[in-house]
Amino acid sequence: MAEFNTTLKEQGDISIIKLKGYLDAHTAPVLENKFNELINNNKYKIVVDFRDLAYISSAGLGVFMAYIEKVRENQGDIKLASMSDKVYNIFDLLGFPLLYEIFKTEEEAIKKFSE
């Protein structure tokens, strides 16, 4: 069975979720729980770091679509960072760059919140 986990770190009022492994229908609830935890704690400035994500399925992509409205309704955003070319191509194919800001590094995404 494919493994997936997240780690969370805080930098000021920005929450950074680091993804690792395979994000698919079986593991998507792990990420959903992380988003629910942040929203329940009124944390709406979120950076998702994809550096160690090996694979994402449509179920994984759906997690991001499920939470973006709620986050933006509360003056926050979900910014995406450090995608491999393989993962970026999936997001690009589905038009995510029109909906989300995608950065080359986690640091760039964090900096964008302060502009």
Side-chain angles (χ1 to χ4, degrees), residues 26-71:
H26 297 289
T27 60
V30 173
L31 184 56
E32 289 173 348
N33 289 339
K34 193 60 71 181
F35 276 116
N36 284 328
E37 179 185 323
L38 292 172
I39 288 169
N40 289 338
N41 289 310
N42 299 317
K43 305 255 183 192
Y44 299 109
K45 293 181 179 177
I46 302 167
V47 171
V48 181
D49 186 323
F50 287 75
R51 182 181 320 276
D52 295 321
L53 187 75
Y55 170 81
I56 188 166
S57 73
S58 58
L61 293 162
V63 174
F64 293 95
M65 293 306 295
Y67 291 95
I68 191 65
E69 276 190 45
K70 179 76 173 175
V71 168

Side-chain angles (χ1 to χ4, degrees), residues 72-85:
R72 288 183 177 159
E73 282 172 5
N74 289 282
Q75 289 71 51
D77 199 9
I78 300 172
K79 300 188 187 304
L80 312 177
S82 304
M83 290 181 179
S84 67
D85 288 345

